[in-house]
C-alpha cells in the first residue's frame, strides 16, 4: 500500500527522473531514473530517514513533553533526541515541486509549483481544473 | 422450418431441391436430426472457404452419395497436407455425432444416419461412400479409397473389442509414456507459446516450470536454480504495449491501487475491538504506583483511541517504553533518592521555621 504522502512524492520522483540510481527498483530489468536535481535527492533522503525514525522520535518527544515524569528524565530524553541524525527530523523536509523541484510556490494538493500547474492546466492536462471567472 | 445449426458456411450444389438447408456447423454442439435421414454435411474451415456448395437434405443415401461425388473440393497445397493429416487422424469419429471436421466424417455421418449394420467384412455401402468421397477429393483415388477402408476396418475392430468388454489398456499406455526431459531454454523461449500466453502467465509459468522440474529430481530448489528461474522470467517480460498493460504492471508492483477501491487494503485486522481498547495486560510489568505508571496509563488511553495502529504496533509502542525505563532504572533510582532527600530537607526547613 502507499505510504504517507511524503513517500509518494519520492516514488513519483522515481517515475520521472533521478540524479542517480540509489535503490534497485522493484520491477525487473535495469532501470535508471533521475531526480530533477541533487536538492530533490537530498529531500528524498530526508523523507526516508524521517520515516524510519518517526516512531522513535514520537516516543522520545512524548517523554519530553509532559509534566508528570521527573525533569531529570526529560533532560536525558532531550539529549537523546538531539543525538539522533539530523536528517531524521521531519522539519527538514521541504515540499518541493515534483516536476521542477521548485521549493517555493508549491501547491500542496498537486505537489506542483505554480508555473508547472499553470502550464498543465492550460493544456487541459489537469482533470477538473478550469480557468476561473466569476 | 428446420431448426438451424450455427451457420458458418454455405454450400451450393448443382442439384437444388425445394428444401435447401443452409446450415452447417464446424464446431461441436448441435446435431440437427430430422425426421428424415438428415445429413449434416460439413467440412473443415479451410475447405469450406474454397468450395461453395449447397447440400440437400438427402432423402436417400444414393442421393447424398451422388452429391458427394459431384462435389469437387479444391484445396491449396498447404491445406492438402493438413487434410492428409486430418484424414489419418480423424477416422475415429464415426459414432460421435458432434465431430464435424473433415470430409471423412462426412460420409461417416451419412452412414451412421442410416444405421447400417456392421458385419465383419466392411459394409458395401461404406465402400460406396468411400469411393464417392475419394472421387471428390483431389488425391489419388484408389489410394484414398484403400486408406479410408483400412481406417474403417481398424475402427470397427476397436469398437468390437470394446463391445466385448475388453479393458482399455490405459495402464499400458501410461507406462509407455516417458517423462519428458527438461529442455534448457536459455533465453530462447518458444515464440508461438509466448504469443498465446497471457502476460500474467508468462512469468508464473516459467517460474513454475523451473521449480517443478527441480522438484522432480532434487529435494528443494537451490539458490542457483531460483536465480535461473528469475532470469528466465526477466527475459520473458515484455515492455507494456499500451496504457492498460502498464497499469496492470503497476498494480502488480503495488504502485497503483486496485479498483474498485478496497478501503481495507493492506489492513488485515482480524482482531476484535476489545484488544485495541483494553491494553492493561501490557502494563502488568510496570510499577503500580508512581509517575511512570501515571504516564503509561495516559499512553494506553491514547493508544486505545487510535484507530490507525494495529494491535501489534500498539504492543510494540508499550514495549519500547518498557525497555526504555528498564535501561534507565538506575537513573530513576537515583532520581528517586535525590527527590526524597530534597523533600525531607524541605520538610525540615518548614518545620524549623
Amino acid at each position: 500500500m502507499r505510504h504517507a504522502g511524503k513517500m509518494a512524492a519520492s516514488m513519483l520522483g522515481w517515475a520521472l527522473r533521478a540524479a542517480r540510481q540509489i535503490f534497485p527498483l522493484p520491477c525487473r530489468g535495469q532501470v535508471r531514473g533521475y531526480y530533477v536535481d541533487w536538492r530533490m535527492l537530498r529531500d528524498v533522503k530526508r523523507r526516508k530517514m524521517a520515516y524510519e525514525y518517526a516512531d522513535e522520535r514520537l516516543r522520545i518527544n512524548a517523554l519530553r513533553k509532559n509534566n508528570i515524569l521527573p525533569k531529570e528524565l526529560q533532560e536525558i530524553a532531550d539529549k537523546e533526541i538531539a543525538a539522533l541524525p539530523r536528517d531524521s527530523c521531519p522539519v527538514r523536509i521541504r515540499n518541493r515541486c515534483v516536476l521542477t523541484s521548485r521549493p517555493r510556490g508549491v501547491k500542496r494538493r498537486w505537489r506542483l509549483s505554480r508555473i508547472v500547474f499553470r502550464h498543465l492546466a492550460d493544456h487541459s492536462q489537469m482533470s477538473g481544473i478550469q480557468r476561473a471567472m466569476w | 422450418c428446420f431448426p438451424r445449426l450455427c451457420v458458418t458456411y454455405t454450400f451450393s450444389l448443382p442439384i437444388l431441391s425445394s428444401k435447401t438447408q443452409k446450415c452447417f456447423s464446424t464446431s461441436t454442439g448441435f446435431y440437427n436430426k430430422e425426421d428424415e435421414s438428415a445429413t449434416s454435411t460439413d467440412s473443415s474451415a479451410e475447405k469450406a472457404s474454397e468450395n461453395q456448395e449447397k447440400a440437400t437434405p438427402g432423402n436417400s443415401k444414393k442421393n447424398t452419395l451422388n452429391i458427394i461425388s459431384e462435389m469437387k473440393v479444391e484445396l491449396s497445397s498447404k491445406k492438402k497436407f493438413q487434410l492428409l493429416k486430418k484424414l489419418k487422424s480423424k477416422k475415429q469419429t464415426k459414432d460421435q455425432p458432434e465431430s464435424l471436421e473433415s470430409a471423412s466424417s462426412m460420409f461417416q455421418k451419412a452412414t451412421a444416419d442410416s444405421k447400417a449394420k456392421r458385419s465383419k467384412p466392411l459394409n458395401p455401402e461404406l465402400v460406396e461412400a468411400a469411393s464417392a468421397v475419394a472421387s471428390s477429393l483431389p488425391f489419388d483415388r484408389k489410394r484414398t479409397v484403400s486408406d479410408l477402408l483400412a481406417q474403417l476396418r481398424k475402427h470397427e475392430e476397436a469398437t468390437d473389442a470394446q463391445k466385448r468388454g475388453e479393458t482399455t489398456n490405459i495402464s499400458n499406455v501410461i507406462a509407455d509414456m516417458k517423462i519428458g526431459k527438461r529442455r534448457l531454454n536459455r533465453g530462447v523461449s518458444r515464440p508461438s507459446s509466448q504469443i498465446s500466453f497471457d502476460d500474467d502467465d508468462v512469468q508464473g509459468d516459467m517460474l513454475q516450470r523451473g521449480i517443478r522440474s527441480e522438484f522432480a529430481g532434487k529435494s528443494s530448489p537451490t539458490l542457483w536454480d531460483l536465480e535461473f528461474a528469475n532470469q528466465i522470467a526477466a527475459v520473458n517480460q515484455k515492455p507494456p504495449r499500451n496504457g492498460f498493460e502498464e497499469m496492470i504492471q503497476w498494480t502488480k508492483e503495488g504502485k497503483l491501487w486496485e479498483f474498485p477501491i478496497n478501503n481495507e487494503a493492506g489492513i488485515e485486522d482480524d482482531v476484535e475491538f476489545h484488544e485495541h481498547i483494553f491494553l492493561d495486560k501490557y502494563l502488568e510489568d510496570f510499577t503500580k504506583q508512581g509517575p511512570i505508571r501515571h504516564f503509561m496509563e495516559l499512553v494506553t488511553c491514547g493508544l486505545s483511541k487510535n484507530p490507525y495502529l494495529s494491535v501489534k504496533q500498539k504492543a510494540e509502542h508499550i514495549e519500547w517504553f518498557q525497555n526504555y525505563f528498564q535501561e534507565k532504572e538506575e537513573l530513576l533510582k537515583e532520581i528517586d533518592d535525590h527527590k526524597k532527600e530534597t523533600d525531607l530537607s524541605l520538610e525540615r526547613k518548614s518545620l524549623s521555621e
Side-chain angles (χ1 to χ4, degrees), chain B residues 97-112:
Chain B
E98 289 154 21
S99 64
L100 320 164
E101 294 213 47
S102 63
S104 58
S105 56
M106 247 164 40
F107 75 86
Q108 285 172 10
K109 193 75 64 58
T111 57

Side-chain angles (χ1 to χ4, degrees), chain A residues 24-37:
Chain A
L25 294 175
C27 58
R28 310 281 167 92
Q30 210 185 49
V31 180
R32 294 271 167 93
Y34 289 92
Y35 285 114
V36 179
D37 54 10

